[in-house]
Structure formats: C-alpha cells, structure tokens
Amino acid sequence: MAAERNPLLEDFVFPPFDVIEPKHIRPAFRSLLAKLESDLVELETTVEPTWPKLVEPLEKIIDRLSVVWGIVNHLNSVKDSPELRSAIEEVQPAKVEFQLRLGQSKPIYNAFRAIRESSDWEALNDARKRIVEAQIKEAVLNGVSLEDNKREYFNEIQQELEKLSQKFEENILDSTKQFEKLITDKKDIEGLPATALAMAAEMALSKGHKDATAENGPWVLTLDAPSYRSVMQHARNRSLREEVYRSYVARASSGDHNNTPIIARILKLKLEKAKLLGYNNYAEVSMEMKMATINKAEELIEDLRSASWNAAIQDMEDLENLAKAQDAIEANDLKQWDINFWGERLRELKYDINEEELRPFFSLPKVINGLFNLAKMLFEIDVEPADGLAPVWNNDVKFYCVKDSLGIPIAYFYFDPYARPSEKRGGAWMDVVFGRGSTFSRDGASPRLPIAHIVCNQTPPMGDKPSLMTFREVHTNTLHLRSSSLTSGFQVETVFHEFGHALQHMLTKQDESLVSGSRGIEWDAVELASQFMENWCYQRDTLMSIAKHYETGESLPEETCLKLLSARTFRAGSLMLRQLRYASVDLELHTKYIPDGSETIYDIDQRVGRRTNVIPLLPEDKFLCSFSHIFADKYAAGYYSYQWAEVLSYDAFSAFEEAGLDNVKAVKELGHRFRETILAVGGGKSPDQVFVEFRGREPSPKALLRYTGLSPVTAEA
C-alpha cells in the first residue's frame, strides 16, 4: 500500500494549510531532518569558499527547515490544540539539535572565514559581505569555537531554552482562557459600549447561556484584549475594573500555569550561555546583532524617561482633577484600574470625541481599502484580493497578491484579522512564509517571491455588521518575526503597523535570501517600516480616506477628523513611560539580575517601576509572567528596539512633512526613495547607511519628541 503523502513535505507553491494536521508533524520532521542531515554532511564534505559551493547549498538547508517549522509554528499561534502542542513538543528537541549542529559546523565556519580573508573579499558586493560577516558572527554566538564539554553544555542550554519558551507561551494562553466573569445584572456593566456588550453576550452564548442577548445578558467577560480594554476604559463599576485588572496582571503567575520559575530558569540559562561565550551577561550577547550598545540603549531610555516624566505627572493631575469634579470617591486615590477609565472620560471631554460612537466610520474593509490606496500612492504597488489561489487555515483568512506598476506579481500575503480566543494567541504580528531569493527560483530566471502572514486580533463582525474598529485600534499592536508590541491594542494603527512589517518583507529587491526582506537587518532597526506606516494614520488625507461610514459611505466630519489628529499627543508622557518600563526592566533583567540572589525578578520590576510609573506598581503585579516578547520571542535585551526604531521612523516621516504632505509629486518621489532604500535593500547594507541614503543625514530624535509633544532632549540615536 502506498504511504500516505505528507502535505508538509510536498513541493508546494503555497503551503497546504487546509490539509495539514498535527498527525503529519512527527513523520514530516523525522523525514525532513534525516534529509537535511545528509545534505549537511554532503556540504561539509564538498565545501569550498565560493558562493555556489558554500552559500547556495547552505541557503537551501536553512530555508527548507525554516519554511516547514514556520508553518507548524504559525499553526501553533493561530490554531492551538492539545494534539498540535504534543507533536511540537516531541519534534522540537531533534529540530534544535539539527540547528545547533548546523550553527556549529566547523567546515562551514572555516569556509566563511576563508572568504573573509581571501584576496577576492573587496570584489564582493555589500550584501554578500554582510552575509559572510553575519555568518561568522552567528557561528561564534552559536558556540562553534567552544571545546567539546562546553559545547555539550551550551547545547543542553539551548534545548532547555526552546522548551521553556514554548511552555511560557502556552501558560499565558491557558491562564488567559481560564478567566471568565459571568455578569447577570446590567447595573454591574454600566458604561460598557454596545460593541462590548454584544461581544460579551456572544461569549456567553458560546459558554452555553442559550438566551444571552446584548440587551439583557447574561454577559461573559474575559481577559482577551477587546474585552479587557472595554472594561478598563468604560466600566463604571470600579470593583469590576479592579477585579479584571488584578486578574490581568496576575496572568500565568500561579497554579499549573505559573511562569515565575520558568522566568528564573530562562534568565539563569541565558547568563550561563553568555559566560560560556565569554561575555559578562546576556545583554552583551544580544547587542552583538544590533545597532546599539547597552550604554546607548540605556541612554536613550533615560533621555526619553526624563523627557516624559513631567508630562506624565501632569497627565495624572488632569485625571485627578476630572475625577474630583465628578465627585468620584476614588478622586484622591487613583489606582491602576482607574487610569484608563478616567483617561477615556478626559479624552471625551477635552476633544469631544467618543471613540465608540466613531466605530461605524472605521470598518475593517474600508480601513484596508484606504491602506492599500496609500501603499499604491507611496510605493507604486497594487494590492489585489486573490482568495482561492492559496489554501487557508480558517474561513476568515484573506489572501492577497501584490503587483508592481506593470501589473506583475511581486509578493503575496495572508491576512487573519479576527480574535479567536479559544485557539489563537493575543496580539498582532507579521510572520514570514517564504523569503525572496534567486536560489529558490522555479524557472531558473526569476527569484522566488516573498509571502507573508499578517495576523491581528480585531473585534470580529457581529451579525450583519463588519468588524468595526476604534481609531486607535486602526493603529498599533506589532513584527513577530515573530513580534507583537505591548501598545494598547489600538486597532487601526495595528493594521498599518503590521502592514509596514509586511512591506519590508514583500518589497525587498534583494535576491540573496539571507539578507532579503527583514532578514539580516539589525533587530533594533526592524520596527522602522512598521512605525513609519503608523504615522500615516495621523495624516489628514489618509485619515479621511479610511474613515467612511460603513452603511452610508459618508466621510468623517472634518471637525471630528481634526479632533482625532489633535488627540494624538494625549497622555503621550504616560504612554511613553509605559513602554520605557518594559524596555528598562528587560535590560535590567539581562544585565543586573543574579540568579538565586537577594533581588528577585519582581524586586527588579518594582525598582524600575519607581522610575517609570507615576503610581507605584501593585506589589502583586506579575506582568513579567506574560512578557512573552523577552521570554518567548526574540526581544530579550532588545525591547528598547521599539524606541530606537521610533527615532528612525519619526525622522523618516518628517522628511515627507518637510517636502509638504499635500505636494503629491514630492510625496510620490520620497515614497519611491523610501521604497528603493529602506524597503528594497533589506539586510544588504547596515541600517544606519540605508537611513542616511534615504534621509541624507544621520537620524535625530527631534521628530519623535515633536510628534509626541514631549520636551526636547539632547540624545542622538
């Protein structure tokens, strides 16, 4: 009987997401790793310090593994199940073992060094030089130079770190799912907007409360972002806000899903790994692949902190004054669960904006349409629906083709927009399916085209209404390469942000796959394109193009548009400090934390909190237990990258302002230059060199401080 074909191992143009099941994973990896091992042995036996005899065969090995593992990992994020988890857990050790074997290959390392030291070095182009230098550096960081017993221990550490990261993420998902708050009395959820009530009633229906309606309940609240946000911003019931807030900051910090011991173990292992490699701490290892140094990152954080502090104090006084004016009992003692509630009331009062009432103007289809039109104007591309061309993992997933000005396809992407709390992790991210590269050409002439995923957790459509977003939901969550930022989940910005990451991947002109798209870009520059796209949400013409009523098609009133734009700097000091807490605690944990020492991880967070939070952190705040950026992703000693790249992105956007945003010809010319430098070059040149090619000078933080309305600082990025 013929063996059943394994969809993971087929030679597909688009991954067969509709037929891949957990049962395929074990046999696929057994077969794949055996094949890659024999390819690696052959490469090591025949290697010569030339591109065809070293880099091309190496690219094929790296790519095959990253494509198949990428598919599995993606399904793990969007279609979680016990079967999938157990299959991943089983194949992960062998996969990590192969990656270590590849990363520590002496023949490959020596061949790259031979290229670096050869007389032909100067003849190589920038991209190839960057590949060689990065491969040498990565091999050293992968332990290639370690003696046998040290290398063995290094490999044990890597294996354990992979397992811990996986478990860390699972604990967050499981503990978030565990919380459910059933509400039967409408008084208890007074203030919640209609969209939130509809969502809570729908959740109640799914939990077996068969008569649940948005109007009469019962309602089920969860810790999923849309539900959590609406309670924090709108629930008048203060004790409900407190209960939900305390549950949120305690996620994955107790019982079966406790990440505290996992964090301690991860930090201990990373420190030991750093010491094996000859560094003092893990942050030094992390900075080897970044633009910044520890000192420069700390300097930027401190400069931004001191620029934000007085503004944040003023923000707090404004909230207290409003609460007093409304005779709120908490007015003299505002707590964490009061801040977003009173912040929302102050925004409504100060700018006469009710975000919930504006939702009908921000329907996902119209926002997407406006975003694609902006991309066409700036970058001369057309984004066209291509549903049906590629299989998908859920019926809500859309598929698109990106074409150049001649109508020739240059990239594709999937868009998975809505929250599915039972199987999909929170946040938003861009991820890579295929990277561009000539080595993977199917016709021997044109390079393989890049394909991306964009994943968000927007409010799903309700009945016959499309997904209606708040403006601040139009803009920010985040690159998951995988990544997702810890901003407040603003939806319209989120979509623009993730699309920026996707543009970096899709509009690359690099044919060397190891530096195409986001690959090979120093991590602290990787948010440049995403944050650059966010800025367009605050440009009047863009805003008016996406803000159209989903039923009548009428445009957002001009007066409301101007209010939204002027509200951009609202509580900017407080929001900046929030991000700086994350950046700062990340660096502290990876430079100063001593495993089993007198200062716990939470002591460090509290110490950082005293410098970054106007209201002291709750003693019970266990936010670190859900800080997956640094414990289950690539941001360890790198969360500061968001601020670092913000300096670059605001400065890049200010070039368009200087040229005149209403000067279409100038904007198109600059858009073309941005595409040909920042987006096209990928990791083929250093980010500072690429930035100077676009901007004509070194980056300056002035634009960041101007846009956020914060006081000037002296630091240069």
Side-chain angles (χ1 to χ4, degrees):
M1 187 177 101
E4 186 189 346
R5 290 171 62 182
N6 192 315
L8 280 166
L9 296 176
E10 284 175 17
D11 179 25
F12 42 75
V13 177
F14 303 113
F17 282 117
D18 54 339
V19 294
I20 295 169
E21 293 175 39
K23 67 176 185 187
H24 296 126
I25 293 172
R26 293 176 184 88
F29 271 87
R30 270 199 300 274
S31 163
L32 175 68
L33 291 172
K35 166 81 171 77
L36 293 180
E37 176 60 37
S38 79
D39 290 350
L40 177 54
V41 169
E42 187 183 343
L43 170 57
E44 289 180 323
T45 315
T46 60
V47 70
E48 290 172 23
T50 66
W51 227 250
K53 288 286 204 172
L54 167 63
V55 182
E56 285 165 22
L58 177 62
E59 275 182 291
K60 287 177 180 166
I61 294 171
I62 292 172
D63 185 77
R64 191 78 189 116
L65 181 58
S66 68
V67 166
V68 179
W69 182 253
I71 291 168
V72 171
N73 220 7
H74 172 69
L75 290 172
N76 186 32
S77 297
V78 296
K79 210 172 176 176
D80 178 53
S81 71
E83 297 76 20
L84 186 57
R85 284 186 189 188
S86 96
I88 287 173
E89 203 174 309
E90 199 173 308
V91 301
Q92 202 171 34
K95 171 245 172 191
V96 176
E97 189 180 332
F98 178 75
Q99 281 176 310
L100 287 164
R101 155 104 173 77
L102 179 64
Q104 294 166 352
S105 165
K106 286 240 166 71
I108 292 175
Y109 173 63
N110 290 334
F112 275 114
R113 284 184 55 187
I115 292 179
R116 178 68 188 87
E117 288 154 19
S118 79
S119 54
D120 301 334
W121 173 250
E122 288 308 326
L124 291 184
N125 63 27
D126 286 345
R128 291 193 166 187
K129 282 181 177 166
R130 292 256 302 168
I131 288 170
V132 172
E133 288 178 330
Q135 288 294 323
I136 292 170
K137 191 182 277 187
E138 277 175 34
V140 172
L141 297 179
N142 280 328
V144 72
S145 311
L146 296 176
E147 295 310 312
D148 291 351
N149 55 349
K150 282 188 177 174
R151 188 160 74 239
E152 231 166 85
Y153 182 44
F154 180 93
N155 292 354
E156 283 167 23
I157 288 175
Q158 279 302 101
Q159 283 285 8
E160 194 178 343
L161 282 172
E162 287 264 347
K163 280 194 196 122
L164 291 168
S165 288
Q166 178 77 11
K167 185 67 178 152
F168 188 93
E169 198 75 85
E170 288 171 3
N171 282 345
I172 299 171
L173 188 64
D174 292 342
S175 72
T176 303
K177 276 198 291 198
Q178 235 171 18
F179 177 92
E180 281 171 20
K181 174 77 174 167
L182 177 67
I183 306 241
T184 51
D185 186 341
K186 195 158 192 178
K187 283 207 299 289
D188 290 342
I189 49 169
E190 212 183 322
L192 281 200
T195 44
L197 293 174
M199 209 161 45
E202 207 155 284
M203 181 57 75
L205 279 171
S206 76
K207 299 293 177 187
H209 300 276
K210 56 182 186 299
D211 301 325
T213 65
E215 186 55 37
N216 300 312
W219 304 270
V220 170
L221 302 174
T222 68
L223 296 180
D224 210 46
S227 177
Y228 171 73
R229 266 199 311 272
S230 62
V231 172
M232 287 297 108
Q233 291 179 343
H234 300 292
R236 297 211 179 104
N237 179 344
R238 191 182 186 217
S239 63
L240 174 67
R241 294 200 308 267
E242 178 176 357
E243 182 186 349
V244 171
Y245 179 85
R246 285 182 178 276
S247 301
Y248 191 80
V249 296
R251 285 181 305 155
S253 67
S254 62
D256 293 343
H257 308 309
N258 189 356
N259 275 337
T260 307
I262 292 181
I263 294 172
R265 185 73 183 146
I266 286 174
L267 290 170
K268 185 174 186 172
L269 291 174
K270 287 198 161 167
L271 180 59
E272 290 183 11
K273 175 178 162 179
K275 292 198 163 157
L276 280 173
L277 293 171
Y279 295 92
N280 294 310
N281 55 54
Y282 185 76
E284 290 181 1
V285 178
S286 171
M287 294 297 169
E288 285 288 354
M289 304 306 283
K290 300 195 170 58
M291 293 172 75
T293 59
I294 296 173
N295 286 348
K296 283 197 169 168
E298 287 175 341
E299 235 171 75
L300 178 65
I301 291 170
E302 179 50 33
D303 285 337
L304 293 175
R305 190 196 71 82
S306 54
S308 308
W309 186 258
N310 288 344
I313 297 270
Q314 186 60 54
D315 289 345
M316 188 56 68
E317 284 175 11
D318 294 346
L319 298 188
E320 285 167 353
N321 291 337
L322 177 61
K324 277 178 194 154
Q326 302 208 1
D327 297 325
I329 46 169
E330 66 262 31
N332 292 315
D333 186 25
L334 290 187
K335 298 283 194 226
Q336 282 81 357
W337 46 89
D338 301 318
I339 303 304
N340 284 337
F341 176 79
W342 286 107
E344 213 47 41
R345 304 296 75 76
L346 183 59
R347 184 200 307 276
E348 289 164 2
L349 196 68
K350 191 171 178 181
Y351 300 100
D352 189 23
I353 294 172
N354 181 318
E355 293 231 303
E356 286 299 321
E357 287 171 11
L358 293 179
R359 272 187 193 265
F361 286 96
F362 294 109
S363 69
L364 185 62
K366 290 197 163 38
V367 168
I368 290 291
N369 191 40
L371 173 58
F372 294 167
N373 286 336
L374 173 67
K376 181 182 175 77
M377 191 261 293
L378 288 175
F379 307 126
E380 302 164 286
I381 56 172
D382 283 294
V383 181
E384 296 177 1
D387 293 320
L389 182 61
V392 293
W393 53 93
N394 182 286
N395 291 336
D396 290 331
V397 177
K398 303 284 179 211
F399 191 65
Y400 293 94
C401 175
V402 180
K403 295 181 174 176
D404 66 14
S405 54
L406 301 173
I408 298 164
I410 53 171
Y412 298 91
F413 67 96
Y414 302 83
F415 182 41
D416 183 351
Y418 310 125
R420 294 189 298 277
S422 64
E423 62 173 14
K424 184 176 174 183
R425 68 177 189 79
W429 62 92
M430 188 288 289
D431 218 339
V432 170
V433 184
F434 287 127
R436 181 181 163 103
S438 53
T439 302
F440 313 108
S441 170
R442 285 182 169 266
D443 58 10
S446 48
R448 180 180 69 186
L449 299 183
I451 305 178
H453 296 300
I454 298 176
V455 185
C456 297
N457 271 281
Q458 312 288 14
T459 311
M462 297 281 173
D464 55 357
K465 286 184 183 175
S467 173
L468 300 177
M469 309 151 86
T470 66
F471 172 62
R472 288 169 307 141
E473 282 175 328
V474 181
H475 104 312
T476 331
N477 249 25
T478 296
L479 162 80
H480 200 257
L481 289 171
R482 316 160 60 118
S483 113
S484 31
S485 93
L486 288 160
T487 48
S488 312
F490 305 152
Q491 280 183 333
V492 178
E493 275 188 30
T494 306
V495 175
F496 274 62
H497 181 106
E498 299 310 332
F499 192 64
H501 279 308
L503 288 171
Q504 179 85 74
H505 177 64
M506 298 188 297
L507 299 192
T508 187
K509 292 194 171 176
Q510 281 294 351
D511 289 341
E512 297 286 352
S513 76
L514 295 175
V515 287
S516 81
S518 303
R519 285 196 75 162
I521 297 180
E522 280 73 354
W523 195 254
D524 36 13
V526 102
E527 295 292 336
L528 197 173
S530 53
Q531 292 173 339
F532 169 80
M533 287 304 291
E534 277 182 47
N535 281 303
W536 289 96
C537 296
Y538 289 97
Q539 195 260 325
R540 184 200 163 279
D541 292 352
T542 308
L543 180 50
M544 293 302 275
S545 77
I546 62 176
K548 297 193 188 306
H549 197 283
Y550 79 96
E551 286 173 311
T552 65
E554 69 173 302
S555 289
L556 189 71
E558 179 75 27
E559 184 191 359
T560 311
C561 171
L562 295 174
K563 285 173 186 168
L564 278 174
L565 297 180
S566 62
R568 180 178 195 176
T569 58
F570 180 64
R571 300 192 61 236
S574 304
L575 294 172
M576 176 64 84
L577 285 183
R578 181 178 173 215
Q579 287 292 87
L580 296 176
R581 172 196 169 191
Y582 304 146
S584 198
V585 76
D586 168 36
L587 278 181
E588 287 284 312
L589 288 171
H590 290 103
T591 52
K592 313 260 183 2
Y593 172 70
I594 299 164
D596 311 315
S598 58
E599 198 178 34
T600 69
I601 55 170
Y602 302 118
D603 292 338
I604 289 178
D605 194 23
Q606 291 285 340
R607 172 159 62 74
V608 167
R610 285 193 285 277
R611 296 175 52 71
T612 56
N613 288 53
V614 175
I615 306 185
L617 298 176
L618 288 182
E620 311 87 299
D621 189 320
K622 299 285 190 285
F623 153 75
L624 289 175
C625 288
S626 56
F627 197 179
S628 50
H629 272 73
I630 69 171
F631 298 121
D633 202 342
K634 296 183 179 174
Y635 283 84
Y639 195 87
Y640 76 88
S641 300
Y642 284 107
Q643 285 69 53
W644 193 270
E646 244 179 343
V647 170
L648 304 174
S649 61
Y650 278 110
D651 198 0
F653 184 76
S654 69
F656 289 80
E657 275 204 330
E658 287 162 18
L661 288 168
D662 48 3
N663 181 340
V664 177
K665 182 170 177 285
V667 166
K668 283 185 168 180
E669 279 171 10
L670 272 174
H672 180 75
R673 193 196 310 166
F674 189 88
R675 180 182 168 176
E676 293 303 308
T677 52
I678 309 277
L679 300 178
V681 175
K685 288 182 182 173
S686 70
D688 34 14
Q689 191 182 346
V690 178
F691 185 89
V692 170
E693 282 180 18
F694 168 70
R695 197 67 176 92
R697 59 163 173 74
E698 299 287 323
S700 152
K702 286 177 187 159
L704 163 64
L705 294 159
R706 186 172 79 253
Y707 288 124
T708 49
L710 299 171
S711 59
V713 296
T714 52
E716 293 288 321

